[in-house]
């Protein structure tokens, strides 16, 4: 992952397009590119089969949120920590982690111009 000045995003938030998101992921989280490509193919197939753009729109929204989080190392570390806590903690810890994850996702949705989950 590219480094940044303390508290600064690694890159600006890209437009919510497939090409811009792919480029951003290539820069900040190259290990996620295979998942991005696989999920894009699935969304495109679902859109073609159903003559519906909703799968592609969901794909773009999901990856725009992912990029929003991953381009901010501190936020990405917090998010990962809460995910780990949700998986390995007791019920109380899992509820707290789910709440924190929800807040981060709501913040990311708002920042990229998407309605809250």
């Amino acid at each position: 992952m590219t480094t940044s000045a303390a508290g600064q995003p690694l890159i600006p938030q890209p437009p919510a397009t497939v090409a811009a998101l792919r480029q951003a992921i290539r820069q900040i989280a190259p290990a996620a590119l295979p998942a991005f490509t696989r999920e894009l193919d699935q969304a495109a197939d679902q859109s073609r089969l159903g003559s519906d753009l909703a799968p592609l729109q969901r794909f773009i929204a999901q990856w725009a949120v992912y990029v929003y989080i991953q381009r901010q190392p501190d936020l990405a570390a917090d998010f990962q920590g809460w995910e780990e806590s949700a998986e390995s903690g007791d019920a109380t810890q899992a509820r707290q982690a789910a709440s924190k994850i929800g807040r981060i996702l709501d913040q990311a949705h708002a920042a990229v111009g998407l309605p809250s989950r």
Side-chain angles (χ1 to χ4, degrees), residues 5-102:
Q8 296 299 310
L10 299 173
I11 61 172
Q13 180 67 29
T17 66
V18 171
L21 293 171
R22 180 183 288 120
Q23 180 60 32
I25 292 165
R26 188 175 290 123
Q27 289 179 279
I28 62 172
L33 275 173
F36 178 89
T37 302
R38 183 178 56 254
E39 292 177 21
L40 174 58
D41 290 345
Q42 291 169 348
D45 288 345
Q46 290 172 353
S47 287
R48 265 192 308 272
L49 291 173
S51 298
D52 181 11
L53 291 178
L56 281 171
Q57 291 168 332
R58 281 190 299 273
F59 168 83
I60 289 171
Q62 172 190 333
W63 283 94
V65 166
Y66 177 84
V67 167
Y68 175 83
I69 293 169
Q70 295 303 312
R71 69 190 189 88
Q72 301 176 73
D74 293 341
L75 183 60
D78 288 347
F79 190 81
Q80 183 178 5
W82 289 118
E83 284 183 321
E84 291 168 3
S85 182
E87 291 175 5
S88 63
D90 62 25
T92 301
Q93 292 168 324
R95 279 191 298 277
Q96 179 186 17
S99 174
K100 298 288 187 178
I101 289 168

